[in-house]
Amino acid sequence: MFNYSIVIRTLGNTGEKYLLMLRAIERQTVKPMEILVVIPEGYTLDHQLGNERIIRSGKGMVTQRAVGIAEAMGDYLLVLDDDLDFPPDFAEKLYETLQRRQLDCVLAYGGGGKTNENKTLPTKTFFINKLKQRTKQICLAFTGQAFQSRRESQWFDTIASTGGHCTYVNCEEGLCQTGAFACFFIKTDKAKAVHFEEEQWLEQGRISTYAAYDDAVFYYKIFLQGGRIAYTHNTDFVHLDAASGRPAQDRLTAKRIRLYTIARNRTIFWYKHIWSNRHTLHNLAGGIYGMVNYALYNLVINLHPKYWPAIGAMMKGYRDAFSYIRQS
């Protein structure tokens, strides 16, 4: 058997969805040696199992994740957001995949909507979701945020370099260099070696402290250290989407914050972890591709005057990024 810690970051505001996740943890066939719940000072939890260790921290997606990882004592970590549901053998299957494929970090697929107890979707809804997923993948590839492929390619790496390089999520044998941050299973020493506390620049923007690209930074640092990361088809989870991690409830405000933060954080990420690591023509081309295409894409889809403040915020994000780079 294996021992593992569960690390949850929360603001305590996801209600019944958090309770569903606690029940999923209770049902695990292999019980965790500890459950660490990281919540900022001044926030309260509506639901508890009774055997958690509550850890107080500063508020922030990076800050809370870093504190939880630093405090964990298990050989492995199951790191979770606070609005997930998963089957009873979830941790067991993630561990089995990690061992069988000799990985350092394994990622499960996550869908939205219903819980694992009842997640069958009508055929029409299923195909609509698939179409949305494909459209999103094309947009991410065009803007350099992520590129999904069945095979490795230096060209794919180039155009996706500001998004953490390629994710080979369709290939059971393929490794990836980025992925979703809502849920992952990882060797504890590999997670601690990232020193995620050093990446608090992610939540220090002048327009917003929303920490876009925390996932890309975390996984890419593992990759740079020689870590093996991959998705698994062996199990999955349901993202109940409590919207606690959204930058704002108002859509226009959320768009403004998101465009600013992605422009700022992607550019700094490219400089700190790609360009500074290796000055190559491919890395330079990847950075230019990502910045230019992301700007052009948003200019095209946000032509209406009501979205112009978001475009202005995006341009400020680029200015703030280059200001940060000059100062560092």
Side-chain angles (χ1 to χ4, degrees):
M1 226 20 98
F2 62 100
N3 70 76
Y4 70 103
S5 303
I6 289 180
V7 177
I8 304 167
R9 66 177 178 190
T10 185
L11 296 178
N13 59 356
T14 53
E16 292 300 312
K17 294 177 180 180
Y18 184 69
L19 181 60
L20 279 172
M21 189 178 73
L22 293 182
R23 289 174 176 168
I25 291 172
E26 276 190 308
R27 295 195 301 266
Q28 290 305 293
T29 52
V30 178
K31 306 299 181 185
M33 66 172 288
E34 61 179 354
I35 303 169
L36 308 179
V37 180
V38 185
I39 184 168
E41 296 287 350
Y43 289 76
T44 58
L45 283 171
D46 293 332
H47 306 286
Q48 294 186 43
L49 287 172
N51 60 340
E52 304 98 324
R53 179 152 66 98
I54 310 299
I55 302 172
R56 294 290 175 176
S57 74
K59 183 182 177 183
M61 298 168 73
V62 174
T63 299
Q64 288 175 249
R65 191 73 96 202
V67 167
I69 290 171
E71 292 283 333
M73 299 176 63
D75 293 335
Y76 303 91
L77 303 180
L78 176 56
V79 184
L80 305 170
D81 279 355
D82 59 0
D83 55 355
L84 311 178
D85 184 42
F86 37 84
D89 58 355
F90 189 60
E92 186 175 359
K93 284 190 172 181
L94 291 174
Y95 172 77
E96 186 275 329
T97 300
L98 186 139
Q99 293 297 108
R100 176 173 53 84
R101 297 177 59 186
Q102 297 182 320
L103 301 173
D104 298 295
C105 178
V106 60
L107 313 173
Y109 289 101
K114 302 182 181 181
T115 71
N116 274 281
E117 296 171 354
N118 181 22
K119 61 176 183 178
T120 302
L121 295 174
T123 302
K124 182 178 179 181
T125 304
F126 174 81
F127 282 111
I128 290 174
N129 288 347
K130 281 291 184 183
L131 179 61
K132 289 180 178 178
Q133 182 183 18
R134 289 298 182 193
T135 303
K136 182 178 180 180
Q137 289 173 357
I138 292 170
C139 292
L140 289 173
F142 176 77
T143 57
Q145 295 180 76
F147 198 98
Q148 297 184 6
S149 171
R150 291 178 180 271
R151 60 190 178 87
E152 297 188 32
S153 163
Q154 189 178 29
W155 185 78
F156 291 159
D157 285 354
T158 297
I159 67 171
S161 65
T162 50
H165 288 201
C166 303
T167 55
Y168 308 109
V169 299
N170 297 317
C171 179
E172 179 66 21
E173 292 76 32
L175 300 178
C176 61
Q177 299 165 358
T178 190
F181 217 28
C183 170
F184 57 96
F185 188 83
I186 187 170
K187 293 178 180 177
T188 301
D189 59 343
K190 293 294 183 181
K192 291 182 184 293
V194 169
H195 294 293
F196 205 39
E197 68 279 358
E198 298 175 356
E199 308 300 335
Q200 292 187 359
W201 59 269
L202 285 159
E203 51 191 23
Q204 293 172 349
R206 287 191 287 179
I207 284 183
S208 170
T209 58
Y210 178 65
Y213 269 72
D214 51 346
D215 47 3
V217 171
F218 185 86
Y219 292 128
Y220 196 62
K221 288 184 77 173
I222 294 173
F223 165 74
L224 288 177
Q225 294 168 4
R228 291 169 54 85
I229 310 166
Y231 275 89
T232 179
H233 295 270
N234 202 24
T235 188
D236 62 0
F237 65 91
V238 177
H239 194 176
L240 302 173
D241 196 13
S244 60
R246 292 180 185 174
Q249 293 302 313
D250 174 68
R251 291 184 65 182
L252 292 178
T253 303
K255 180 184 282 286
R256 179 172 174 267
I257 291 173
R258 186 167 58 251
L259 264 61
Y260 166 82
T261 309
I262 290 178
R264 175 188 180 272
N265 288 5
R266 280 182 66 192
T267 305
I268 297 173
F269 161 71
W270 169 81
Y271 174 78
K272 284 174 64 74
H273 298 294
I274 297 176
W275 179 248
S276 294
N277 183 57
R278 195 174 180 194
H279 291 56
T280 67
L281 182 60
H282 276 90
N283 286 345
L284 178 61
I288 294 172
Y289 176 96
M291 284 183 273
V292 171
N293 279 25
Y294 186 73
L296 289 176
Y297 171 80
N298 282 293
L299 285 169
V300 169
I301 68 169
N302 294 296
L303 289 175
H304 195 284
K306 71 178 181 180
Y307 298 129
W308 290 353
I311 296 299
M314 178 183 69
M315 302 312 295
K316 181 171 177 56
Y318 283 122
R319 290 195 301 270
D320 286 357
F322 285 111
S323 176
Y324 177 94
I325 290 169
R326 284 194 301 270
Q327 292 171 9
S328 63

